[in-house]
Amino acid sequence: MMNDPMILRSMLFVPGDRTERFEKALNSGADAIIIDLEDAVAIARKDVVRASFGSAVPARDERPVPIYVRINGTHTRWCLSDIEAAVAVGADGIMVPKCDKATAVEIVAWTCRQLGANDLEIIPILETAAGIANAREIMASGRRRVNFGAGDLGRDLALIISEGEPELHPYRSKVVVNARTVGALAPLDTVWGNLRDLEGLAASARRAKRMGFGGKLCIHPSQIAPIHAAFTPSEDETRLATAFCEGFEQAEARGDAAIEIEGHFIDYPVYEQARAVVALSNAIRDKEQRNG
């Protein structure tokens, strides 16, 4: 059964020319996979890969999780053919890399409509200086979700990212604030490049969670568990949030909107945040039960 596409804690990249990895990726436990036709494919092989990867993509009703395709950017000669290939395989969504303005996603959306793919989700990746600067305009174009990419942004801005990633704080914050401003879903954070440093990945995921992100991109199945641990409310968090909700609702019925529960001051903002934690916890639990 298909996972709920609204809950994306993890999205696992798999190179478009490594079709033997598709089945493993689909059953890795990630909430979605991304078949990468962009950076993971050598320039000399892009046309060959695009023509052949579709044979390894299962039909929509046979997929355990959604499949997205990262196309080459709208500024490249491969973009149109990539979109046609993504639509042909019945992709659940397209990721637009190096998205620096709203017209880039509008071009992709228009092309999809001409191909009859009106329900295909389009996710811009904000990973350039221009993309960060134009974040609100890009999200206001109707995108329900965006992803943040630090790799190309680091190259673009000559960032030297140190332990704790403080250099990324202003850019992550701008992505989250603008997503909230236009009513988009919580964005997904950038990949963690050090495959051997799972502790560093876990810390990065927790930072992103605290900053308002809803999930994180990943490049290896071993990264899924730490990411899910960061973006899934713990039993204690869920228990406390449930206590906040129940206690506040009882107090509100008595006409009181400011109370104390287990040493915590609870008012409407805290209550609403607790409701969101409980809803997310329940949705993740239900999804995992449906998918065994």
Side-chain angles (χ1 to χ4, degrees), residues 34 68 77-78 101 113 134 156 160 166 169 185 194 206 208 291:
I34 306 162
Y68 292 74
R77 64 183 177 85
W78 305 289
K101 51 191 174 183
R113 289 195 299 272
N134 297 325
D156 203 7
I160 300 175
H169 288 3
L185 298 173
N194 190 336
R206 289 192 297 267
N291 291 279

Side-chain angles (χ1 to χ4, degrees), residues 221-268:
S222 65
Q223 297 183 324
I224 296 168
I227 289 173
H228 283 193
F231 290 98
T232 301
S234 67
E235 289 185 9
D236 188 60
E237 289 172 329
T238 302
R239 180 199 64 78
L240 194 59
T242 301
F244 287 177
C245 290
E246 292 175 351
F248 186 83
E249 288 166 3
Q250 293 170 7
E252 187 184 37
R254 301 190 303 266
D256 194 352
I259 61 172
E260 177 268 332
I261 297 177
E262 297 188 28
H264 297 271
F265 175 76
I266 314 297
D267 59 2
Y268 279 109

Side-chain angles (χ1 to χ4, degrees), residues 1-2 15 31 58 69 75 96 116 126 130 158 185 199 209 243 252 258 263 275:
M1 180 180 291
M2 182 69 68
D31 288 334
V69 174
H75 58 287
V96 184
L126 305 183
L185 298 173
E199 291 185 4
K209 169 63 176 176
E252 187 184 37
R275 286 185 62 193

Side-chain angles (χ1 to χ4, degrees), residues 10-81:
S10 61
M11 299 182 78
L12 174 64
F13 279 104
V14 58
D17 59 351
R18 300 302 299 269
T19 55
E20 75 279 5
R21 296 183 182 178
F22 287 7
E23 183 177 358
K24 181 179 179 180
L26 283 164
N27 292 284
S28 63
D31 288 334
I33 73 165
I34 306 162
I35 297 174
D36 190 6
L37 301 183
E38 193 214 14
D39 286 343
V41 177
I43 290 176
R45 286 180 48 77
K46 288 187 183 292
D47 292 329
V48 173
V49 169
R50 185 193 311 110
S52 62
F53 85 96
S55 60
V57 177
R60 274 195 176 187
D61 59 358
E62 298 175 355
R63 301 171 190 170
V65 296
I67 292 177
Y68 292 74
V69 174
R70 179 163 75 168
I71 63 173
N72 287 275
T74 55
H75 58 287
T76 71
R77 64 183 177 85
W78 305 289
C79 178
L80 176 58
S81 296

Side-chain angles (χ1 to χ4, degrees), residues 5-9 11 121 123 139 143-148 175-177 179-180 183-189 208-209 211-216 231 280:
M6 301 295 283
I7 300 175
L8 292 183
R9 297 163 296 174
M11 299 182 78
E121 182 181 9
I123 302 181
M139 294 185 214
R143 301 309 107 203
R144 67 175 182 175
R145 195 189 324 259
V146 298
N147 293 345
F148 171 61
V175 171
V176 171
V177 168
R180 187 62 210 160
L185 298 173
L188 272 74
D189 189 42
K209 169 63 176 176
M211 295 186 73
F213 284 84
K216 195 169 178 68
F231 290 98
L280 176 60

